[in-house]
């Protein structure tokens, strides 16, 4: 029974994988403080410390990529923390070995889980780097971390529900 549940969980989670599909290459919008995606009226761009005002287009795109990546990790961590509190010792994943408040769960997890998690994260980050960044051999030594011209920060081709607009203007 546990195997069937684990198999169905893995199969359903594969729908959210970024490994199978490469992001389509699209015309990149001009990244400027005035036109950056997410800067909406009446507030405009939320940048209380003025980082964007001092950044060129490439730097602004790297800032946006970092913001999206770290925001996604924070959202997943929040969900994991809340789920850990809700399903304490009721899950098949760790065979009821993890107990107590969610803040103590990390120290109780089997080390094999961390190896698998690390491998999964390494694979995901490698795919993200291949999609978004220019190969290091094609980048000047003094300008590491150059994003591809056609890459839109955060666009990894992950849209399982088909919510991304087809029209560039609407996007």
């Amino acid at each position: 029974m546990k195997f069937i549940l684990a198999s169905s969980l893995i199969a359903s989670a594969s729908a959210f994988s970024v490994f199978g599909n490469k992001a389509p290459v699209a015309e990149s919008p001009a990244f400027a403080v005035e036109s950056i995606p997410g800067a909406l009226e009446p507030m405009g761009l939320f940048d209380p410390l003025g980082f964007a005002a001092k950044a060129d287009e490439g730097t602004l795109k790297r800032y946006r990529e970092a913001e999206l990546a770290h925001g996604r990790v924070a959202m997943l961590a929040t969900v994991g923390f809340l789920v850990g509190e809700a399903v304490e010792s009721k899950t098949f994943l760790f065979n009821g070995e993890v107990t107590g408040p969610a803040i103590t769960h990390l120290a109780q997890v089997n080390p094999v889980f961390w190896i698998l998690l690390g491998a999964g994260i390494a694979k995901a980050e490698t795919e993200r780097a291949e999609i978004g960044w220019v190969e290091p051999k094609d980048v000047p030594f003094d300008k590491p971390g150059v994003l591809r011209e056609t890459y839109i920060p955060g666009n990894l081709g992950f849209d399982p529900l088909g919510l991304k607009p087809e029209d560039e203007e609407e996007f």
Side-chain angles (χ1 to χ4, degrees), residues 67-99:
E67 176 185 10
L68 291 169
H70 292 99
R72 289 170 178 166
V73 169
M75 288 185 277
L76 286 172
T78 301
V79 168
F81 199 88
L82 295 173
V83 168
E85 284 286 337
V87 298
E88 178 188 343
S89 71
K90 299 173 195 157
T91 177
F92 65 89
L93 189 58
F94 297 112
N95 204 18
E97 297 171 1
V98 178
T99 61

Side-chain angles (χ1 to χ4, degrees), residues 112-162:
V112 173
F113 173 78
W114 296 115
I115 293 169
L116 295 173
L117 182 66
I121 291 171
K123 176 67 174 157
E125 286 297 312
T126 301
E127 288 289 323
R128 187 170 74 104
E130 288 174 355
I131 293 170
W133 277 265
V134 175
E135 288 77 14
K137 64 180 169 99
D138 299 331
V139 177
F141 177 75
D142 59 340
K143 295 183 181 181
V146 175
L147 291 173
R148 296 182 191 276
E149 287 291 322
T150 57
Y151 176 65
I152 300 170
N155 185 14
L156 300 175
F158 175 71
D159 188 18
L161 300 177

Side-chain angles (χ1 to χ4, degrees), residues 17-34:
S17 174
V18 298
F19 302 133
N21 301 329
K22 296 287 185 192
V25 177
E27 287 297 316
S28 178
F31 265 72
V33 176
E34 304 81 29

Side-chain angles (χ1 to χ4, degrees), residues 3-36:
F3 178 74
I4 293 170
L5 289 173
S7 298
S8 66
L9 180 64
I10 291 169
S12 64
S14 67
F16 297 103
S17 174
V18 298
F19 302 133
N21 301 329
K22 296 287 185 192
V25 177
E27 287 297 316
S28 178
F31 265 72
V33 176
E34 304 81 29
S35 64
I36 189 169

